[in-house]
């Protein structure tokens, strides 16, 4: 189990973003005392769910290849992957 700051560092987000996800129900967490704890498996599932699905007509390029995930490419480039 990870604390909110640990979870935020793991996915490269601000801790308040993780807290917002917990409050909205997007991320499951357990509250022990005054601190929230997040399961690593829940965080991993959320990490790959950071982009809305494309409309059906936008899922392939003009040459019938899959549409590249530009948001993920930029995010990974900024994290130095």
């Amino acid at each position: 189990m990870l604390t909110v700051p640990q979870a935020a560092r793991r996915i490269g987000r601000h801790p308040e973003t993780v807290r917002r996800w917990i409050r909205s129900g997007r991320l499951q967490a357990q509250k022990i005392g005054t601190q929230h704890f997040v399961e690593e498996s829940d965080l991993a599932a959320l990490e790959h769910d950071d982009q809305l699905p494309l409309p059906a007509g936008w899922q392939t390029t003009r040459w019938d290849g899959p549409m590249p995930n530009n948001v993920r490419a930029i995010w990974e480039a900024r994290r130095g992957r």
Side-chain angles (χ1 to χ4, degrees):
M1 290 180 71
L2 303 169
T3 64
V4 169
Q6 290 170 336
R9 275 193 302 275
R10 173 92 37 110
I11 61 171
R13 299 292 176 103
H14 194 275
E16 188 55 36
T17 300
V18 176
R19 289 185 192 98
R20 240 187 344 264
W21 290 344
I22 292 169
R23 284 192 301 269
S24 71
R26 184 175 176 192
L27 179 62
Q28 295 294 316
Q30 293 180 343
K31 189 170 185 179
I32 300 173
T34 59
Q35 198 165 20
H36 285 97
F37 290 91
V38 178
E39 291 287 341
E40 292 185 46
S41 59
D42 292 336
L43 189 64
L46 182 66
E47 189 174 8
H48 300 291
D49 187 31
D50 60 351
Q51 187 174 358
L52 295 173
L54 292 172
W58 295 6
Q59 292 181 3
T60 59
T61 61
R62 288 185 298 195
W63 51 89
D64 291 328
M67 189 63 70
N69 188 340
N70 294 326
V71 173
R72 167 114 7 235
I74 292 169
W75 186 74
E76 288 178 357
R78 288 181 179 171
R79 290 188 69 196
R81 288 186 177 178

